[in-house]
Amino acid sequence: MKYTIHMKRTNLVLDEEVLEEATRISGQKTYSGTVNFALQEMIRLRKLREIQDLVGSGIWEGNLSEMREDSPRRKSRTRRS
């Protein structure tokens, strides 16, 4: 099986002190790793914010209690001696 990794080479002008601190607190070993980690974290946080924005929006209609009652109940296993 063959995997393709897409990478983008670019030049960035970054605040050296901020980059050093971000590298230290993120635990990354390289500046590239730090920048990639920061980008992934920004995307993750944005997606979380979008989910939170949906709370109370009325996008989902239904009764969660009723849905839970309809689901089959698992029987607990008892150990036989």
Side-chain angles (χ1 to χ4, degrees):
M1 188 175 279
K2 195 175 195 180
Y3 295 98
T4 304
I5 298 174
H6 299 281
M7 302 297 268
K8 171 82 173 153
R9 182 172 288 279
T10 187
N11 293 322
L12 300 170
V13 179
L14 303 170
D15 183 317
E16 189 174 349
E17 290 178 11
V18 171
L19 182 58
E20 289 288 340
E21 183 176 6
T23 302
R24 181 179 52 77
I25 65 174
S26 70
Q28 299 297 310
K29 294 181 180 179
T30 64
Y31 294 148
S32 291
T34 301
V35 172
N36 283 319
F37 177 79
L39 292 170
Q40 291 167 352
E41 190 66 7
M42 188 270 300
I43 292 167
R44 185 184 72 81
L45 291 172
R46 181 58 54 101
K47 287 179 179 180
L48 282 174
R49 186 178 307 141
E50 290 171 2
I51 291 170
Q52 289 174 342
D53 289 345
L54 294 176
V55 173
S57 69
I59 195 168
W60 182 77
E61 293 180 15
N63 185 321
L64 190 56
S65 296
E66 286 178 14
M67 288 178 62
R68 288 181 175 156
E69 288 176 12
D70 289 343
S71 64
R73 295 180 186 215
R74 287 186 164 180
K75 293 182 181 179
S76 60
R77 291 185 181 182
T78 57
R79 287 188 148 171
R80 293 183 183 175
S81 303

